């Protein structure tokens, strides 16, 4: 998502492109939280399903989804409270900071969606629905590729359009 965003945002200017680069570690950290919850739950769910312990597998899946929402809310709140210090920590210069804050703010608001998406994908894989997981992930990626130019240039939203394209694409992937 971030690479596609950077490709299209690069046409807006070097500061905007720099903003996506500064926000990239934030996006990766949000993803890391989602993946760690999802992989841990997926591993345990697979073992419980293999042991025919369906109630425990269901409890684990529910717990993982609940934890993803809670962690997503905490990350969103942290991003809202410490947005500028976080961006400066990752190298935002005065010229990049306004664009990075616009982009990262929306990415932070989509934290729970990103985490839930990753947890659901791991749960699907754990229960053997790898095709559904792959279609969901591919759907989000293709939508992001289509929405980026539409929102950035078509609706003249600039870097904010790239962030919204990412959150919308992740949301639709999650709904799928």
């Amino acid at each position: 998502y971030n690479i596609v965003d950077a490709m299209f945002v690069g046409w807006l200017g070097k500061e905007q492109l720099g903003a996506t680069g500064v926000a990239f570690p934030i996006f990766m950290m949000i993803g890391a939280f989602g993946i760690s919850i999802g992989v841990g739950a997926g591993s345990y769910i697979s073992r419980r399903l293999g042991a025919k312990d369906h109630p425990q597998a269901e409890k684990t899946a529910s717990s993982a989804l609940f934890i993803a929402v809670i962690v997503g809310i905490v990350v969103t709140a942290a991003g809202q409270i410490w947005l500028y210090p976080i961006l400066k920590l990752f190298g935002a210069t005065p010229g990049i900071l306004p664009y990075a804050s616009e982009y990262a703010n929306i990415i932070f608001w989509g934290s729970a969606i990103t985490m839930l998406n990753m947890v659901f994908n791991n749960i699907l894989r754990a229960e053997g629905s790898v095709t559904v997981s792959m279609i969901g992930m591919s759907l989000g990626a293709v939508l992001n590729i289509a929405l980026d130019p539409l929102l950035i240039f078509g609706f003249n939203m600039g870097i904010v359009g790239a962030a919204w394209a990412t959150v919308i694409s992740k949301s639709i992937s999650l709904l799928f």
Side-chain angles (χ1 to χ4, degrees):
Y1 289 88
N2 194 262
I3 292 168
V4 171
D5 285 356
M7 184 180 79
F8 288 108
V9 167
W11 294 343
L12 297 172
K14 64 182 180 181
E15 288 85 9
Q16 292 91 335
L17 179 59
T20 62
V22 167
F24 184 66
I26 295 167
F27 193 78
M28 295 306 298
M29 287 173 37
I30 292 167
F33 284 123
I35 287 172
S36 35
I37 296 165
V39 168
S43 172
Y44 190 69
I45 290 167
S46 291
R47 287 181 277 143
R48 292 297 86 214
L49 290 175
K52 306 289 187 224
D53 186 0
H54 295 271
Q56 188 60 39
E58 290 172 6
K59 286 179 188 175
T60 302
S62 296
S63 296
L65 294 169
F66 179 74
I67 291 168
V69 169
I70 297 302
V71 172
I73 291 169
V74 169
V75 169
T76 299
Q80 299 311 303
I81 295 168
W82 297 296
L83 180 63
Y84 288 100
I86 291 169
L87 292 172
K88 288 177 183 176
L89 177 69
F90 289 124
T93 62
I96 291 173
L97 191 59
Y99 300 109
S101 64
E102 289 179 335
Y103 182 81
N105 184 48
I106 295 165
I107 296 299
F108 270 121
W109 278 108
S111 294
I113 292 165
T114 298
M115 290 182 206
L116 280 170
N117 201 341
M118 293 181 173
V119 171
F120 264 119
N121 280 320
N122 280 284
I123 291 171
L124 286 168
R125 283 189 219 122
E127 65 182 27
S129 300
V130 292
T131 303
V132 175
S133 174
M134 180 194 65
I135 291 169
M137 289 189 319
S138 299
L139 174 65
V142 169
L143 279 172
N144 192 53
I145 292 168
L147 287 175
D148 262 351
L150 178 67
L151 296 179
I152 293 169
F153 305 112
F155 287 101
N156 202 28
M157 293 174 72
I159 195 166
V160 171
W164 277 114
T166 297
V167 172
I168 291 167
S169 299
K170 288 270 187 190
S171 299
I172 293 171
S173 175
L174 176 62
L175 289 173
F176 174 82

